[in-house]
Amino acid sequence: MKPDKSKLHPETLAAQGMGKVAEPYRDIVPPIYVSTTYERGADGAFPGGRTYSRADNPSYDQAEALIASLEGAAAAILFASGQAAAAAVFLALTPGDRVLAPRNMYWGFRKWVLDFAAPWGLGIEFYDNASIDDLAAKVRAQRPRLLWIETPANPTWEITDIAAASAIAREVGAIVAVDSTAATPLLTRPIELGAHIVMHSATKYLNGHSDVVAGVLATAADDALWQRIRYQRGGGGAVLGPLEAWLLLRGMRTLHLRVGAACANAQAIAERFNGHPKLSHVLYPGLATHPGHAVAARQMHGGFGGMMSLRLKAGEGAAKAFTARLRVFKRATSLGSVESLAEHRASVEGPGTQCPADLVRLSIGVEHVEDLIGDIEQALT
Ligand SMILES: *Cc1c(COP(=O)(O)O)cnc(C)c1O
């Protein structure tokens, strides 16, 4: 008899990739379906239920089912990247709609919103990530169609109270979408807190090995908006390749182990360097001194994530010099992988960045924590 999946823990679902075993070979690992097209029956119907691989691909099924299950969602769909997933939400709106987004959000998506979504006709306004009062006032005054949330928010890791924000947005009938990339579905489940849509850059923790670019959306309800988003994926054509979907499922089998280790390492590193004489700030929601700590402690379970930033008292030059002296951390953009990465974030974001020039972003991996601590220590001196 098959186990009741709704009663299994996320760790079990992840480790077994939803536990599906397929006929005829009873394979423990699913095949990769490379066919772009599917045969019709003589009656014109599609007996296999599939038509063409821009609409969907059987290689997505298990990864999508696993993410939906981890998020407590009605459904999830994969995209070719996190950007494509996020863009699909905006493109499912109608020109003239208003969107309220956080002032501090993932740079690449903020830029796309300003360069493409705004000229297309969406009215984009920003709220202060760290202030639920500012969010509430703007939601009530502007009555947006969409409230976009990112928490913890890149690269300064402000926390937005998803439950409070969702309740306020629902008063005015706004859709609530959360970029939950940094939190992962293990630490935070936005749908349970009132969000309609959850977005992840699956390039980051979900895949976790710096070898796949992918994105995903999960939904609270299979409603008209969701159907429009689905149509945007197939119609816009930002579909993931079958090999990438397969790698993503493989990566997700260890999601709980990787996220657990990254959280523990990050917490230890943040505590060790908080108050260091060369640093003005250690930005990490797991520190009691972080302004969002109380909310984070309520909406994040099992850890505060693997992302943090250090701000150097001596400014931009010192931040760049610190980054240059690192030997164990790799100097690279991206996050959420098994190896630790560091970057002088303002240089990556370029002109127009809102990121403080003295900030170094760290994505903490699963290495031995003393190797990471030692590396930061020597690079700070
Ligand atoms: C990386 C990232 C994105 C964009 O995802 P891609 O997979 O690179 O397209 C969006 N939001 C956050 C928080 C990210 O870290």
Side-chain angles (χ1 to χ4, degrees):
M1 209 180 85
K2 287 188 179 157
D4 177 357
K5 292 205 174 101
S6 65
K7 294 210 172 72
L8 295 176
H9 291 88
E11 293 82 352
T12 307
L13 297 174
Q16 299 196 353
M18 291 303 277
K20 191 168 167 231
V21 176
E23 301 296 348
Y25 301 117
R26 310 294 296 156
D27 29 350
I28 300 297
V29 173
I32 303 171
Y33 295 91
V34 295
S35 188
T36 55
T37 190
Y38 302 86
E39 194 183 36
R40 284 183 194 265
D43 61 355
F46 288 98
R50 311 285 170 152
T51 56
Y52 182 58
S53 287
R54 181 158 41 68
D56 66 40
N57 184 308
S59 307
Y60 301 165
D61 293 359
Q62 255 167 279
E64 291 181 341
L66 176 57
I67 295 165
S69 175
L70 296 178
E71 288 289 359
I77 51 175
L78 299 178
F79 285 83
S81 66
Q83 291 277 105
V89 177
F90 282 61
L91 294 172
L93 305 179
T94 306
D97 283 346
R98 280 189 298 274
V99 176
L100 194 55
R103 194 170 298 151
N104 178 46
M105 61 191 277
Y106 175 72
W107 163 254
F109 191 59
R110 183 178 194 274
K111 193 162 157 43
W112 179 86
V113 165
L114 292 174
D115 289 346
F116 286 91
W120 180 60
L122 297 180
I124 313 290
E125 299 284 346
F126 294 99
Y127 64 89
D128 177 355
N129 303 56
S131 169
I132 194 75
D133 294 337
D134 186 54
L135 181 151
K138 287 187 174 143
V139 166
R140 289 181 182 129
Q142 294 170 14
R143 308 181 71 82
R145 177 90 202 289
L146 172 69
L147 173 66
W148 188 261
I149 292 172
E150 180 179 329
T151 183
N154 226 310
T156 37
W157 318 111
E158 291 93 350
I159 299 294
T160 296
D161 185 333
I162 299 171
S166 299
I168 295 158
R170 282 171 180 265
E171 282 172 23
V172 304
I175 301 154
V176 180
V178 180
D179 180 343
S180 198
T181 300
T184 81
L186 296 176
L187 305 179
T188 303
R189 298 188 0 138
I191 288 171
E192 286 176 359
L193 300 172
H196 299 91
I197 303 277
V198 183
M199 173 252 152
H200 292 276
S201 167
T203 313
K204 314 296 169 53
Y205 289 99
L206 293 178
N207 180 64
H209 294 79
S210 300
D211 54 11
V212 170
V213 172
V216 66
L217 296 175
T219 186
D222 186 356
D223 53 11
L225 172 74
W226 185 248
Q227 286 310 317
R228 216 170 133 73
I229 288 171
R230 256 195 97 81
Y231 172 43
Q232 175 57 38
R233 179 179 73 170
V239 289
L240 194 63
L243 175 63
E244 285 72 17
W246 184 90
L247 279 168
L248 174 59
L249 181 68
R250 201 263 289 265
M252 287 193 294
R253 287 176 167 235
T254 54
L255 179 65
H256 50 297
L257 301 176
R258 292 184 285 102
V259 171
C263 286
N265 280 354
Q267 186 72 39
I269 291 167
E271 285 172 10
R272 181 75 153 257
F273 291 101
N274 198 23
H276 188 283
K278 294 261 167 80
L279 300 174
S280 65
H281 300 84
V282 174
L283 303 173
Y284 184 65
L287 291 173
T289 48
H290 187 285
H293 179 70
V295 174
R298 222 179 316 132
Q299 76 185 14
M300 301 181 82
H301 306 283
F304 296 90
M307 295 305 302
M308 73 174 67
S309 296
L310 308 178
R311 293 185 64 182
L312 282 94
K313 277 185 188 161
E316 179 173 0
K320 286 183 172 163
F322 166 78
T323 312
R325 280 194 294 268
L326 290 167
R327 296 171 191 154
V328 178
F329 280 79
K330 304 291 176 205
R331 279 178 295 279
T333 195
S334 197
L335 60 97
S337 188
V338 286
E339 70 285 330
S340 293
L341 304 177
E343 65 177 351
H344 179 252
R345 187 68 193 164
S347 304
V348 174
E349 296 189 357
T353 179
Q354 307 183 99
C355 178
D358 58 11
L359 181 147
V360 177
R361 188 180 83 174
L362 301 179
S363 171
I364 305 299
V366 305
E367 301 94 335
H368 196 290
V369 71
E370 289 304 332
D371 292 342
L372 301 177
I373 286 173
D375 196 31
I376 296 171
E377 195 84 67
Q378 65 79 24
L380 277 175
T381 50

Short mmCIF file of all heavy atoms in Angstrom, two decimals, residues 80-86 105-109 148 150 152-154 157 179-182 199-204 212-215 334-335 345 361, ligand 1:
data_model
loop_
_atom_site.label_atom_id
_atom_site.label_comp_id
_atom_site.label_asym_id
_atom_site.label_seq_id
_atom_site.Cartn_x
_atom_site.Cartn_y
_atom_site.Cartn_z
N ALA A 80 11.84 28.60 -16.92
CA ALA A 80 13.23 28.55 -17.38
C ALA A 80 14.19 29.27 -16.45
O ALA A 80 15.39 29.07 -16.52
CB ALA A 80 13.32 29.13 -18.79
N SER A 81 13.67 30.16 -15.58
CA SER A 81 14.51 30.88 -14.61
C SER A 81 13.60 31.49 -13.55
O SER A 81 12.38 31.55 -13.73
CB SER A 81 15.32 31.98 -15.30
OG SER A 81 14.44 32.99 -15.78
N GLY A 82 14.22 31.97 -12.50
CA GLY A 82 13.45 32.70 -11.50
C GLY A 82 12.85 33.97 -12.09
O GLY A 82 11.72 34.33 -11.81
N GLN A 83 13.64 34.65 -12.92
CA GLN A 83 13.16 35.88 -13.56
C GLN A 83 11.90 35.59 -14.39
O GLN A 83 10.94 36.36 -14.37
CB GLN A 83 14.22 36.46 -14.48
CG GLN A 83 15.43 37.02 -13.78
CD GLN A 83 15.21 38.45 -13.28
OE1 GLN A 83 15.02 38.66 -12.08
NE2 GLN A 83 15.24 39.41 -14.16
N ALA A 84 11.93 34.48 -15.15
CA ALA A 84 10.78 34.14 -16.00
C ALA A 84 9.55 33.83 -15.14
O ALA A 84 8.43 34.20 -15.49
CB ALA A 84 11.11 32.94 -16.90
N ALA A 85 9.78 33.18 -14.00
CA ALA A 85 8.66 32.86 -13.10
C ALA A 85 8.05 34.15 -12.55
O ALA A 85 6.83 34.34 -12.58
CB ALA A 85 9.15 31.97 -11.96
N ALA A 86 8.90 35.05 -12.06
CA ALA A 86 8.41 36.30 -11.50
C ALA A 86 7.73 37.14 -12.57
O ALA A 86 6.65 37.71 -12.35
CB ALA A 86 9.58 37.06 -10.87
N MET A 105 14.52 44.99 -3.26
CA MET A 105 14.18 43.65 -3.76
C MET A 105 15.30 43.18 -4.68
O MET A 105 16.16 43.96 -5.06
CB MET A 105 12.83 43.66 -4.50
CG MET A 105 12.79 44.56 -5.71
SD MET A 105 11.13 44.80 -6.38
CE MET A 105 10.93 43.35 -7.40
N TYR A 106 15.25 41.90 -5.04
CA TYR A 106 16.28 41.33 -5.90
C TYR A 106 16.52 42.25 -7.11
O TYR A 106 15.60 42.53 -7.87
CB TYR A 106 15.87 39.93 -6.36
CG TYR A 106 16.83 39.33 -7.34
CD1 TYR A 106 18.08 38.91 -6.93
CD2 TYR A 106 16.51 39.25 -8.68
CE1 TYR A 106 18.99 38.39 -7.84
CE2 TYR A 106 17.41 38.74 -9.60
CZ TYR A 106 18.64 38.31 -9.17
OH TYR A 106 19.54 37.82 -10.08
N TRP A 107 17.74 42.71 -7.21
CA TRP A 107 18.13 43.75 -8.16
C TRP A 107 17.70 43.45 -9.59
O TRP A 107 17.14 44.29 -10.29
CB TRP A 107 19.65 43.94 -8.07
CG TRP A 107 20.27 44.66 -9.19
CD1 TRP A 107 21.02 44.15 -10.20
CD2 TRP A 107 20.18 46.07 -9.42
NE1 TRP A 107 21.42 45.15 -11.04
CE2 TRP A 107 20.92 46.34 -10.59
CE3 TRP A 107 19.56 47.13 -8.76
CZ2 TRP A 107 21.05 47.63 -11.11
CZ3 TRP A 107 19.70 48.39 -9.28
CH2 TRP A 107 20.43 48.64 -10.44
N GLY A 108 17.98 42.25 -10.05
CA GLY A 108 17.70 41.90 -11.44
C GLY A 108 16.22 41.97 -11.75
O GLY A 108 15.81 42.40 -12.85
N PHE A 109 15.39 41.61 -10.79
CA PHE A 109 13.96 41.66 -11.06
C PHE A 109 13.41 43.08 -10.94
O PHE A 109 12.56 43.49 -11.73
CB PHE A 109 13.18 40.69 -10.15
CG PHE A 109 11.76 40.55 -10.60
CD1 PHE A 109 11.48 40.09 -11.88
CD2 PHE A 109 10.70 40.92 -9.78
CE1 PHE A 109 10.17 40.00 -12.34
CE2 PHE A 109 9.40 40.83 -10.23
CZ PHE A 109 9.13 40.36 -11.51
N TRP A 148 3.79 42.70 -4.10
CA TRP A 148 4.96 41.84 -4.23
C TRP A 148 5.77 41.94 -2.95
O TRP A 148 6.01 43.04 -2.45
CB TRP A 148 5.80 42.28 -5.43
CG TRP A 148 6.92 41.35 -5.77
CD1 TRP A 148 8.23 41.48 -5.43
CD2 TRP A 148 6.83 40.14 -6.55
NE1 TRP A 148 8.96 40.43 -5.94
CE2 TRP A 148 8.14 39.59 -6.62
CE3 TRP A 148 5.77 39.46 -7.17
CZ2 TRP A 148 8.41 38.41 -7.30
CZ3 TRP A 148 6.04 38.28 -7.85
CH2 TRP A 148 7.34 37.77 -7.92
N GLU A 150 9.28 40.34 -0.83
CA GLU A 150 10.48 39.49 -0.84
C GLU A 150 11.00 39.46 0.59
O GLU A 150 11.29 40.51 1.16
CB GLU A 150 11.55 40.06 -1.79
CG GLU A 150 12.81 39.20 -1.81
CD GLU A 150 13.88 39.72 -2.77
OE1 GLU A 150 13.54 40.32 -3.80
OE2 GLU A 150 15.07 39.54 -2.44
N PRO A 152 13.43 36.85 3.44
CA PRO A 152 14.32 37.98 3.65
C PRO A 152 14.71 38.61 2.31
O PRO A 152 14.85 37.88 1.33
CB PRO A 152 15.53 37.38 4.34
CG PRO A 152 15.06 36.08 4.94
CD PRO A 152 13.99 35.59 4.01
N ALA A 153 14.89 39.95 2.30
CA ALA A 153 15.07 40.67 1.04
C ALA A 153 16.54 40.95 0.75
O ALA A 153 17.25 41.52 1.57
CB ALA A 153 14.28 41.97 1.06
N ASN A 154 16.92 40.56 -0.43
CA ASN A 154 18.25 40.74 -0.97
C ASN A 154 18.62 42.20 -1.13
O ASN A 154 17.82 42.92 -1.67
CB ASN A 154 18.20 40.14 -2.40
CG ASN A 154 19.34 39.27 -2.71
OD1 ASN A 154 20.48 39.65 -2.49
ND2 ASN A 154 19.04 38.11 -3.23
N TRP A 157 18.47 41.91 3.72
CA TRP A 157 17.78 40.90 4.52
C TRP A 157 16.76 41.46 5.50
O TRP A 157 16.61 40.96 6.60
CB TRP A 157 18.80 39.93 5.17
CG TRP A 157 19.87 39.59 4.19
CD1 TRP A 157 21.19 39.96 4.22
CD2 TRP A 157 19.71 38.89 2.94
NE1 TRP A 157 21.84 39.54 3.09
CE2 TRP A 157 20.96 38.88 2.28
CE3 TRP A 157 18.60 38.28 2.31
CZ2 TRP A 157 21.14 38.29 1.03
CZ3 TRP A 157 18.80 37.70 1.07
CH2 TRP A 157 20.05 37.71 0.45
N ASP A 179 8.36 36.43 -3.18
CA ASP A 179 9.63 35.86 -3.60
C ASP A 179 10.27 35.27 -2.35
O ASP A 179 10.79 35.98 -1.51
CB ASP A 179 10.52 36.93 -4.25
CG ASP A 179 11.87 36.38 -4.72
OD1 ASP A 179 12.25 35.28 -4.27
OD2 ASP A 179 12.55 37.06 -5.51
N SER A 180 10.19 33.95 -2.24
CA SER A 180 10.61 33.24 -1.04
C SER A 180 11.93 32.50 -1.26
O SER A 180 12.25 31.56 -0.53
CB SER A 180 9.49 32.28 -0.63
OG SER A 180 9.62 31.86 0.71
N THR A 181 12.68 32.95 -2.26
CA THR A 181 13.94 32.28 -2.64
C THR A 181 14.88 32.10 -1.45
O THR A 181 15.42 31.02 -1.24
CB THR A 181 14.65 33.10 -3.74
OG1 THR A 181 13.80 33.19 -4.87
CG2 THR A 181 15.98 32.48 -4.14
N ALA A 182 15.07 33.17 -0.66
CA ALA A 182 16.05 33.10 0.43
C ALA A 182 15.54 32.26 1.59
O ALA A 182 16.33 31.74 2.38
CB ALA A 182 16.41 34.50 0.91
N MET A 199 6.98 32.47 -5.23
CA MET A 199 7.96 32.37 -6.31
C MET A 199 9.32 32.00 -5.73
O MET A 199 9.69 32.46 -4.65
CB MET A 199 8.03 33.72 -7.03
CG MET A 199 9.12 33.85 -8.06
SD MET A 199 10.41 34.95 -7.46
CE MET A 199 11.81 34.31 -8.33
N HIS A 200 10.05 31.14 -6.45
CA HIS A 200 11.44 30.85 -6.09
C HIS A 200 12.31 30.93 -7.33
O HIS A 200 11.92 30.45 -8.39
CB HIS A 200 11.61 29.41 -5.57
CG HIS A 200 10.96 29.16 -4.25
ND1 HIS A 200 11.56 29.45 -3.07
CD2 HIS A 200 9.75 28.63 -3.95
CE1 HIS A 200 10.75 29.12 -2.07
NE2 HIS A 200 9.64 28.62 -2.58
N SER A 201 13.50 31.47 -7.16
CA SER A 201 14.56 31.19 -8.11
C SER A 201 15.05 29.79 -7.72
O SER A 201 15.76 29.64 -6.72
CB SER A 201 15.69 32.20 -8.03
OG SER A 201 16.79 31.68 -8.76
N ALA A 202 14.67 28.78 -8.49
CA ALA A 202 15.09 27.40 -8.19
C ALA A 202 16.57 27.19 -8.48
O ALA A 202 17.15 26.16 -8.13
CB ALA A 202 14.23 26.41 -8.97
N THR A 203 17.17 28.20 -9.13
CA THR A 203 18.62 28.23 -9.34
C THR A 203 19.36 28.18 -8.01
O THR A 203 20.51 27.75 -7.96
CB THR A 203 18.99 29.56 -10.05
OG1 THR A 203 18.09 29.77 -11.14
CG2 THR A 203 20.42 29.57 -10.54
N LYS A 204 18.70 28.65 -6.96
CA LYS A 204 19.35 28.86 -5.67
C LYS A 204 19.19 27.61 -4.80
O LYS A 204 19.67 26.57 -5.16
CB LYS A 204 18.80 30.13 -5.04
CG LYS A 204 18.72 31.33 -6.02
CD LYS A 204 20.06 31.81 -6.53
CE LYS A 204 19.96 32.80 -7.68
NZ LYS A 204 19.12 33.95 -7.45
N VAL A 212 22.13 24.62 -12.39
CA VAL A 212 20.86 24.72 -13.11
C VAL A 212 20.29 26.11 -12.91
O VAL A 212 20.29 26.61 -11.78
CB VAL A 212 19.82 23.70 -12.58
CG1 VAL A 212 18.44 23.98 -13.18
CG2 VAL A 212 20.23 22.27 -12.89
N VAL A 213 19.83 26.75 -13.98
CA VAL A 213 19.03 27.97 -13.87
C VAL A 213 17.57 27.56 -14.05
O VAL A 213 17.23 26.92 -15.05
CB VAL A 213 19.43 29.01 -14.93
CG1 VAL A 213 18.46 30.19 -14.95
CG2 VAL A 213 20.85 29.51 -14.67
N ALA A 214 16.74 27.87 -13.05
CA ALA A 214 15.33 27.47 -13.11
C ALA A 214 14.52 28.35 -12.16
O ALA A 214 15.08 29.00 -11.27
CB ALA A 214 15.17 26.00 -12.71
N GLY A 215 13.23 28.37 -12.38
CA GLY A 215 12.34 29.12 -11.49
C GLY A 215 11.08 28.34 -11.26
O GLY A 215 10.80 27.36 -11.97
N SER A 334 25.28 34.92 -7.24
CA SER A 334 24.34 33.82 -6.98
C SER A 334 24.43 33.40 -5.52
O SER A 334 25.19 33.98 -4.72
CB SER A 334 24.56 32.63 -7.91
OG SER A 334 23.40 31.80 -7.87
N LEU A 335 23.59 32.45 -5.15
CA LEU A 335 23.43 32.08 -3.74
C LEU A 335 22.75 30.72 -3.64
O LEU A 335 22.24 30.19 -4.62
CB LEU A 335 22.61 33.16 -3.01
CG LEU A 335 21.18 33.44 -3.51
CD1 LEU A 335 20.15 32.68 -2.68
CD2 LEU A 335 20.88 34.92 -3.43
N ARG A 345 28.50 43.52 -3.43
CA ARG A 345 27.22 43.51 -4.14
C ARG A 345 26.99 44.75 -5.01
O ARG A 345 26.44 44.63 -6.10
CB ARG A 345 26.08 43.35 -3.10
CG ARG A 345 24.71 43.16 -3.70
CD ARG A 345 24.57 41.83 -4.42
NE ARG A 345 23.36 41.82 -5.23
CZ ARG A 345 23.09 40.95 -6.19
NH1 ARG A 345 23.95 39.99 -6.46
NH2 ARG A 345 21.99 41.02 -6.88
N ARG A 361 28.07 40.65 0.38
CA ARG A 361 27.02 39.64 0.57
C ARG A 361 27.66 38.26 0.64
O ARG A 361 28.51 37.92 -0.18
CB ARG A 361 26.04 39.69 -0.61
CG ARG A 361 24.81 38.81 -0.38
CD ARG A 361 23.86 38.87 -1.54
NE ARG A 361 24.26 37.96 -2.62
CZ ARG A 361 23.54 37.72 -3.71
NH1 ARG A 361 22.40 38.36 -3.90
NH2 ARG A 361 23.97 36.88 -4.64
C1 LIG B 1 18.39 34.83 -8.22
C2 LIG B 1 17.15 35.45 -7.74
C3 LIG B 1 16.11 35.78 -8.62
C4 LIG B 1 16.23 35.55 -10.11
O1 LIG B 1 16.30 34.18 -10.39
P1 LIG B 1 17.09 33.57 -11.66
O2 LIG B 1 16.92 32.11 -11.48
O3 LIG B 1 18.50 34.05 -11.58
O4 LIG B 1 16.40 34.08 -12.88
C5 LIG B 1 14.96 36.33 -8.08
N1 LIG B 1 14.84 36.57 -6.76
C6 LIG B 1 15.82 36.28 -5.89
C7 LIG B 1 15.63 36.57 -4.44
C8 LIG B 1 17.01 35.72 -6.35
O5 LIG B 1 18.00 35.45 -5.48
#
